[in-house]
Amino acid sequence: MRTSSGRGGEGQRYALTSDEDDADFWGSAREAEGFFTPLPGEEGARRVRLKGCLPLGGLLRSVGRVGSRRALAGNARFELLDGAGATMGSYFVDDVTVIDVEPSACGGGLVDLTVTLWCENALAGAEHAWDLIRAGRLNRTGMWHELTPEDRHAWLSVALWTREYGHRGKTDAPAGQVFTLDGRHIVDRDSFYCAIGEAAQEVISQLCFCSLIFDFCADS
């Protein structure tokens, strides 16, 4: 995962890059409606509307082929950008296919693209955590206390994908460091991981620390 794309542009919050060729940048978009919403009965299938999109490279070639098999752009990395255009995290997406294109109300020669794609890891509820990180509002403890079990799991999935971004300029806890765990809100495995992350927040960020534990458990 790259920690900075530098290609977001003003107001652009998402970007696509070919998974086969890092030099094949597919462009950026201001909104990505539907990316975190699986289609009914198809958990990984998504229909995404990329609003305010400036298509480039392989995606631009597919724009001119809507309605044919060649509208399939291929596999890509779907990147989430912060306000400065740096990549906060990314998801691997399969079979990006352009199915509709129209002029965008965002102006400036931008278009609104509708694409279909496949992504199993973009959990419903994760978009809220991404927005908090982008806006710099992930700045106090206990923000996960009132989340539903499904949203807590999505919260931790974001932690997994933001590891490199969250570690920038931070160091691990020194040997022998003691943490105090507040267990009053622990009701399941995910809330346990969140509580551990908050116990270490003075040394490394809460979400970043949680990511290490979540990644370990996901692989075990």
Side-chain angles (χ1 to χ4, degrees), residues 1-3 78-81 86-91 130 158 161-163 165:
M1 182 190 76
R2 291 173 300 163
T3 56
F78 184 89
E79 303 174 8
L80 294 99
L81 311 177
T87 302
M88 301 185 295
S90 65
Y91 295 93
W130 286 116
V158 174
W161 301 116
T162 56
R163 178 190 303 163
Y165 182 79

Side-chain angles (χ1 to χ4, degrees), residues 7-58:
R7 298 182 286 191
E10 184 177 356
Q12 303 295 82
R13 304 198 304 169
Y14 305 93
L16 281 162
T17 302
S18 170
D19 184 63
E20 298 178 357
D21 181 2
D22 281 346
D24 187 10
F25 179 57
W26 287 4
S28 53
R30 296 188 180 183
E31 301 292 340
E33 297 177 351
F35 182 71
F36 293 97
T37 308
L39 295 177
E42 300 182 72
E43 184 174 349
R46 318 290 164 113
R47 181 186 176 101
V48 183
R49 184 175 174 83
L50 299 171
K51 300 181 68 174
C53 180
L54 180 63
L56 300 169

